[in-house]
Amino acid sequence: MKTVIYDLETQYDEGLDAAAAEIARGGLVVFPTETVYGIGANAADEAAVKRIFEVKGRPQDNPLIVHICDISQAFTAARSISPMAERLMRAFWPGPFTAVLKKSEAVSDTVSAGLDTVGVRLPSNAYARELIKRSGCMIAAPSANISGRPSPTRIAHAVEDMYGRVPVILDGGDALVGVESTVCDLTGDVPVVLRPGGITAEMIEKEAGAVKVARAVLNGVSDGERAASPGMKYKHYSPDANVTIVEADGNEPLAKALAMLYDKKTEAGGKTLVLCLDETAALLGKRDCACLGKNAEEAARRIFDELRRADEDGYDEVLFASTGLEGMGLAVMNRMIRAAGFNVIKA
Ligand code: TXA
Ligand code: MG
């Protein structure tokens, strides 16, 4: 398939109109959001939505998020919205927050993968909202990666995975947040974080007075167990390199543990890379390091890019220094624990 890439900085109307026309005729479009790039289709077009699953190689039982450009559309997608749910939607929209609500008839079983709920999100990225507006429909969209690969946070990643598979790719530059939206179940009395993301559990707790975090966020889901968020049970975000998470109390013990493991892996012949915050990298001497920034928020922005780069640069082993679970740390660790296949070493 022929793919046209539009740079929205210089081809704003041309790109958005072409993309909106493609969506309207049942096609797929890769577009930027503040979290990661998405691959979208008209949420009401069954055949188009099915094609998203095919193009990504996505399991059929993993539901898609419906993207909207105005809060009123949430009332079309959902059967009922509690006052608490509406309060959180108003607090965090537009932004990296996906509200899981009881679905209405307007949302097909293909989008919701047979669940009676639907994830709805109003993105803050202005290009994304303008695309939804010009398309005149709600847009069902997962991240624009081939299933199992790290989510695309830069246009190069989206092109790498989707060129030749979709007619239109919109280039909106690097994603601001860098990890996907927070998926939050708002169907009960207390909001439950099913997938941590750009809106932290602390922020939700502050707004709602209480919050729960689903067990699957930091743990695996056993075969018999049904994940609250179906996406959680799949191995995700995995680079080709073997990933190990290293935890320790304090920066110096962390650096020491990383250095020891690095030297051991290197001696055994594995080309090894450490992914860590700047303060830890400063203690690792000449060892190969990718600095993730000053804090978990900066790490979130860079992590998927660094995982792709580790493969490109031919690393066999990646040692990831735990960012801790506070704030954006929870989202980063949720992704990395999966990338590591739950391989965690506590020093
Ligand atoms: O930031 C994001 O959310 C990005 C951008 C493109 O908006 N989208 C994204 O979509 O990450 P995707 O499909 O890669 O991840 C959606 C996650 C999956 O883990 C899925 O299982 C969960 O959200 N999900 C969707 N609808 C759900 C529902 N009704 N109940 C529980 N989990 C749901
Ligand atoms: Mg995804």
Side-chain angles (χ1 to χ4, degrees):
M1 177 183 287
K2 187 170 161 284
T3 301
V4 185
I5 304 174
Y6 296 92
D7 177 354
L8 291 176
E9 220 176 287
T10 55
Q11 302 170 288
Y12 183 84
D13 280 311
E14 197 187 344
L16 286 168
D17 284 339
E22 199 52 56
I23 298 264
R25 80 164 77 97
L28 308 189
V29 167
V30 169
F31 64 101
T33 85
E34 72 276 21
T35 55
V36 302
Y37 275 83
I39 173 171
N42 178 351
D45 184 331
E46 282 280 307
V49 172
K50 285 200 174 115
R51 218 164 312 123
I52 294 181
F53 285 85
E54 282 165 27
V55 165
K56 273 187 62 103
R58 182 181 178 98
Q60 297 282 344
D61 65 348
N62 196 3
L64 304 183
I65 293 171
V66 171
H67 294 69
I68 59 177
C69 61
D70 188 289
I71 196 164
S72 66
Q73 292 171 297
F75 291 83
T76 308
R79 178 148 52 80
S80 61
I81 297 178
S82 73
M84 181 272 288
E86 184 170 349
R87 175 173 176 168
L88 292 180
M89 285 152 55
R90 290 194 187 277
F92 301 129
W93 282 353
F97 183 76
T98 295
V100 171
L101 305 163
K102 288 278 174 206
K103 87 172 188 73
S104 75
E105 299 290 307
V107 177
S108 77
D109 285 342
T110 311
V111 170
S112 70
L115 299 179
D116 65 348
T117 55
V118 59
V120 184
R121 165 159 131 77
L122 202 176
S124 63
N125 182 294
Y127 296 137
R129 270 184 292 157
E130 187 60 23
L131 171 65
I132 301 165
K133 198 167 150 197
R134 291 189 190 196
S135 301
C137 60
M138 300 191 275
I139 294 185
S143 49
N145 51 289
I146 298 295
S147 237
R149 300 207 68 204
S151 294
T153 50
R154 322 186 75 158
I155 185 63
H157 307 159
V159 169
E160 186 174 77
D161 281 16
M162 292 303 165
Y163 194 85
R165 297 172 191 260
V166 296
V168 173
I169 295 179
L170 299 178
D171 176 356
D174 292 349
L176 270 179
V177 179
V179 290
E180 304 90 337
S181 64
T182 302
V183 177
C184 190
D185 182 352
L186 301 179
T187 60
D189 294 336
V190 175
V192 184
V193 174
L194 304 178
R195 178 183 71 181
I199 299 292
T200 65
E202 289 90 338
M203 290 161 78
I204 297 169
E205 181 170 33
K206 209 166 158 203
E207 197 59 41
V211 70
K212 286 185 195 158
V213 176
R215 207 188 68 87
V217 163
L218 291 175
N219 296 285
V221 180
S222 62
D223 284 347
E225 203 177 352
R226 188 174 163 74
S229 192
M232 286 296 192
K233 69 173 184 250
Y234 296 107
K235 184 165 181 206
H236 245 176
Y237 318 112
S238 38
D240 298 331
N242 183 44
V243 181
T244 307
I245 295 182
V246 182
E247 289 181 349
D249 294 323
N251 191 41
E252 271 180 37
L254 183 60
K256 221 172 176 178
L258 287 164
M260 216 177 71
L261 271 167
Y262 181 101
D263 295 346
K264 205 167 113 192
K265 299 233 184 234
T266 308
E267 269 160 37
K271 190 178 171 191
T272 306
L273 175 73
V274 178
L275 293 180
C276 61
L277 297 182
D278 300 353
E279 58 171 6
T280 312
L283 304 178
L284 288 173
K286 287 210 175 69
R287 297 177 182 88
D288 282 6
C289 255
C291 298
L292 296 173
K294 286 191 288 297
N295 50 40
E297 220 159 282
E298 291 185 15
R301 213 170 290 148
R302 298 186 198 170
I303 191 67
F304 287 138
D305 186 37
E306 292 298 349
L307 286 178
R308 282 183 185 245
R309 200 166 305 188
D311 280 345
E312 276 165 30
D313 294 346
Y315 285 100
D316 310 303
E317 298 282 346
V318 169
L319 300 175
F320 178 78
S322 168
T323 57
L325 302 178
E326 264 163 54
M328 285 292 280
L330 187 66
V332 172
M333 290 301 285
N334 166 264
R335 309 311 190 268
M336 287 310 299
I337 279 176
R338 279 163 177 73
F342 300 93
N343 178 20
V344 182
I345 292 183
K346 173 103 180 118

